[in-house]
Amino acid sequence: MPNDIAAPTAISMAELLRARYGAAAPANTVPGNDVIRALVSHRSVRAFDADRALPAGTIETLVAAAQSASTSSNLQTWSVVAVEDAGRRARLSEFASKQAFIRQAPLFMCWLADLSRLDRLGTAKGRKFEALDYLETFMVAIIDAALAAQNAAVAAESLGLGCVYVGALRNKPEAVAAELGLPPHVMAVFGLSIGYPDPARPAEIKPRLPQSLILHREQYATKDEPAAIAAYDGEMKRFSARNGMGDTDWTSRVVSRVGTAAGMSGRDRMRAILNALGFELR
Amino acid sequence: MPNDIAAPTAISMAELLRARYGAAAPANTVPGNDVIRALVSHRSVRAFDADRALPAGTIETLVAAAQSASTSSNLQTWSVVAVEDAGRRARLSEFASKQAFIRQAPLFMCWLADLSRLDRLGTAKGRKFEALDYLETFMVAIIDAALAAQNAAVAAESLGLGCVYVGALRNKPEAVAAELGLPPHVMAVFGLSIGYPDPARPAEIKPRLPQSLILHREQYATKDEPAAIAAYDGEMKRFSARNGMGDTDWTSRVVSRVGTAAGMSGRDRMRAILNALGFELR
């Protein structure tokens, strides 16, 4: 098409799969195409070129991609706040483990599980929509938000931009809600920092667990899991060493992240916080 | 690249946006590219060519795309069961509102929120991982599963396949868990039926709410919501009429879907069901 601005990945599918899986790369995939190579090429970018602005229309394009994702029963129980203001990004960064890239990247998209739109519609119709009080409907909203955000992330990367999800936006949900002016029944599920990657600090594709652990055929099975995890620990140790992150393996990172409730950065309070934000979670 | 098997969308970005938003189409997007046009072209396919098998390696390719999506702290708290067996698809269809396309499409991928892998790892290390008992960590798992699934859906569509998410897989989670042999701390979040679309029954791009309602700048705002919803009700009424779904508007569908707990197809029990599946949701 004319005016295309994509940079298709020049790396072959086989090379990408080796980067993604190391020695455990599957050999039997289909040849792939530009879209699939773009997906498999993903790496989270945490170092941005703070001086390079996004082209006009970028946000509208990302939102069009996001809204094109599936949404449960077409309920569209999500919204997004696009934050460009540097002061607001700095404040949100403080709430999210002070991560520097939120200040650095020119755009911070806050993805919202949003049941308030339907709640307002119910009020306008003179009734209370009962399903909004249930855990199930909250799950619908966070799934809707996640599907939408992933389309936006894929679209951003196709434009040569880099991005990184920010789950730490859930460390202080009440403070984030106040900063973004969120009404009740809305929660910022995660952020997405978006900008041009800093060419001086390129990110590497991160290895994942082998398909043998993630993909089950017909029924769930766990055979050879310890050996596969040990091999993956080796891949992650080498990845971490190459990327100046020490020589920590996957298992150690898991232990520090989920071993104790104290390691949850306050998110062990999530149920009470969601109740306070108007989600009854029945 | 050689061996590419993608069919890039020949429709222009402007035409796609008109299909997606009707009169409310944003005029100021960037020109787009093959990836973005593929995303905006999405339509859920519910009529499949049951006789056309998937190319060898399709599942491995979709899983490679799925695993390339971001995952919170690289915890990878998801798995997928690829169901091809016709008998099992028929049984799962029974649990999921008897939707016929689950039997028709050759592949049904069941996306799992999976905290059991980390639980087994903890057991192997002789300790209990405390964070696994919290609502927050369950949210991590369903977000992980959703990001992964969306990459698989985008990859499938780039291969000329069609797909549809099946939230009704949550109508009977215990029955689904038994059919798929799921251990405790695992839940099937949704299904994804995948196959070649039936060329005799093409699907149309479904209109979405205007960006003015979904996209907020700097802070959440609700101005002109009732008028925008009324306009969207008109778009959806025309879409429904064109597609043999009556002339129901969006608001009416919302009311029937979330108006009452009885309309939740049993999912009002979700919290108790999740507890029974081993998720404490503290």
Side-chain angles (χ1 to χ4, degrees):
Chain A
M1 301 287 290
N3 294 323
D4 268 17
I5 53 178
T9 304
I11 306 169
S12 75
M13 188 72 178
E15 283 173 275
L16 290 171
L17 292 171
R18 268 197 302 278
R20 184 62 73 197
Y21 293 105
N28 53 345
T29 62
V30 301
N33 55 47
D34 281 346
V35 173
I36 291 173
R37 278 194 301 277
L39 295 172
V40 178
S41 300
H42 165 77
R43 73 268 338 248
S44 293
V45 169
R46 293 180 177 82
F48 294 93
D49 183 343
D51 299 324
R52 195 165 167 203
L54 303 183
T58 299
I59 294 172
E60 292 81 354
T61 307
L62 302 185
V63 171
Q67 289 194 261
S68 299
S70 289
T71 148
S72 183
S73 303
N74 198 31
L75 291 177
Q76 306 178 65
T77 52
W78 66 278
S79 292
V80 62
V81 183
V83 177
E84 298 180 278
D85 178 75
R88 183 165 284 112
R89 283 190 284 110
R91 292 192 294 277
L92 291 169
S93 171
E94 288 298 309
F95 304 148
S97 305
K98 302 182 191 295
Q99 300 197 80
F101 52 74
I102 301 174
R103 288 192 302 274
Q104 208 176 49
L107 175 61
F108 189 53
M109 297 183 89
C110 298
W111 299 86
L112 312 177
D114 186 354
L115 299 181
S116 79
R117 192 182 302 116
L118 300 189
D119 187 58
R120 286 189 294 276
L121 186 58
T123 302
K125 298 285 161 196
R127 53 183 291 184
K128 169 152 177 51
F129 288 161
E130 291 178 7
L132 303 185
D133 287 341
Y134 285 82
L135 174 62
E136 154 67 15
T137 310
F138 176 66
M139 288 169 61
V140 162
I142 59 180
I143 294 168
D144 268 9
L147 300 182
Q150 185 55 18
N151 260 18
V154 170
E157 292 177 351
S158 82
L159 294 169
L161 300 168
C163 58
V164 60
Y165 281 92
V166 185
L169 203 61
R170 293 197 302 281
N171 290 359
K172 297 196 162 123
E174 304 102 321
V176 170
E179 178 64 43
L180 299 178
L182 306 185
H185 312 291
V186 186
M187 186 233 182
V189 183
F190 46 72
L192 192 68
S193 279
I194 302 177
Y196 286 99
D198 180 350
R201 297 160 68 194
E204 189 187 333
I205 289 177
K206 184 177 280 183
R208 294 282 194 245
L209 289 165
Q211 291 203 349
S212 62
L213 295 195
I214 298 289
L215 168 60
H216 305 261
R217 301 286 187 153
E218 301 299 333
Q219 289 202 307
Y220 196 99
T222 59
K223 74 177 174 61
D224 301 333
E225 194 169 71
I229 288 180
Y232 179 61
D233 271 335
E235 294 286 353
M236 279 306 293
K237 211 165 170 168
R238 290 186 289 278
F239 172 87
S240 298
R242 277 198 307 275
N243 288 274
M245 302 155 72
D247 66 347
T248 322
D249 63 17
W250 185 66
T251 296
S252 311
R253 287 185 188 275
V254 167
V255 169
S256 71
R257 180 65 176 71
V258 301
T260 66
M264 292 177 73
S265 309
R267 295 188 228 167
D268 51 320
R269 292 178 50 244
M270 191 57 69
R271 188 151 135 179
I273 291 169
L274 284 167
N275 289 157
L277 293 178
F279 296 96
E280 203 174 313
L281 305 179
R282 286 179 64 176
Chain B
M1 301 288 292
N3 294 323
D4 268 17
I5 53 179
T9 304
I11 306 169
S12 75
M13 188 73 177
E15 283 173 276
L16 291 170
L17 291 170
R18 268 196 302 278
R20 183 62 73 200
Y21 293 104
N28 52 345
T29 63
V30 301
N33 54 47
D34 281 347
V35 172
I36 291 173
R37 280 193 299 276
L39 295 172
V40 179
S41 298
H42 165 76
R43 72 270 338 247
S44 293
V45 170
R46 293 180 177 83
F48 294 93
D49 182 343
D51 299 324
R52 196 166 166 203
L54 304 182
T58 299
I59 294 171
E60 292 81 354
T61 308
L62 302 185
V63 171
Q67 288 194 261
S68 300
S70 289
T71 147
S72 181
S73 303
N74 198 32
L75 292 176
Q76 305 178 64
T77 52
W78 66 277
S79 293
V80 63
V81 182
V83 177
E84 299 180 276
D85 178 76
R88 182 165 285 109
R89 281 190 284 109
R91 292 192 293 278
L92 290 168
S93 170
E94 288 298 309
F95 303 148
S97 305
K98 302 183 193 292
Q99 301 196 80
F101 52 73
I102 301 174
R103 289 191 302 275
Q104 207 176 48
L107 175 61
F108 188 55
M109 298 182 91
C110 299
W111 299 86
L112 311 177
D114 185 354
L115 298 181
S116 79
R117 191 182 302 115
L118 299 189
D119 187 58
R120 286 189 294 278
L121 187 58
T123 302
K125 299 284 162 197
R127 55 184 291 183
K128 169 151 177 51
F129 287 161
E130 291 178 8
L132 302 185
D133 288 340
Y134 286 79
L135 174 62
E136 154 66 16
T137 311
F138 176 66
M139 288 170 61
V140 162
I142 58 179
I143 293 167
D144 268 10
L147 300 183
Q150 184 56 18
N151 260 17
V154 170
E157 291 177 352
S158 81
L159 294 169
L161 299 167
C163 58
V164 60
Y165 280 91
V166 184
L169 202 61
R170 291 197 303 281
N171 290 357
K172 299 197 160 123
E174 303 103 319
V176 170
E179 178 64 44
L180 299 178
L182 304 185
H185 312 291
V186 186
M187 188 233 181
V189 182
F190 46 72
L192 192 68
S193 280
I194 301 177
Y196 286 98
D198 179 351
R201 297 159 68 194
E204 189 186 334
I205 289 175
K206 185 178 280 184
R208 295 280 194 247
L209 289 165
Q211 291 203 350
S212 62
L213 295 195
I214 298 288
L215 168 61
H216 306 261
R217 302 285 188 155
E218 300 300 333
Q219 289 203 307
Y220 197 98
T222 58
K223 73 177 175 60
D224 301 333
E225 196 169 69
I229 289 181
Y232 180 60
D233 271 334
E235 294 285 353
M236 280 305 294
K237 211 165 171 168
R238 290 186 289 277
F239 172 86
S240 299
R242 279 197 307 276
N243 288 274
M245 301 154 73
D247 66 346
T248 323
D249 63 17
W250 185 66
T251 296
S252 310
R253 289 185 186 275
V254 167
V255 169
S256 72
R257 179 66 178 69
V258 301
T260 65
M264 291 177 74
S265 310
R267 295 188 228 168
D268 50 322
R269 292 178 51 243
M270 189 58 68
R271 187 151 137 180
I273 291 169
L274 284 166
N275 289 157
L277 292 177
F279 295 97
E280 204 174 313
L281 306 178
R282 285 178 67 177

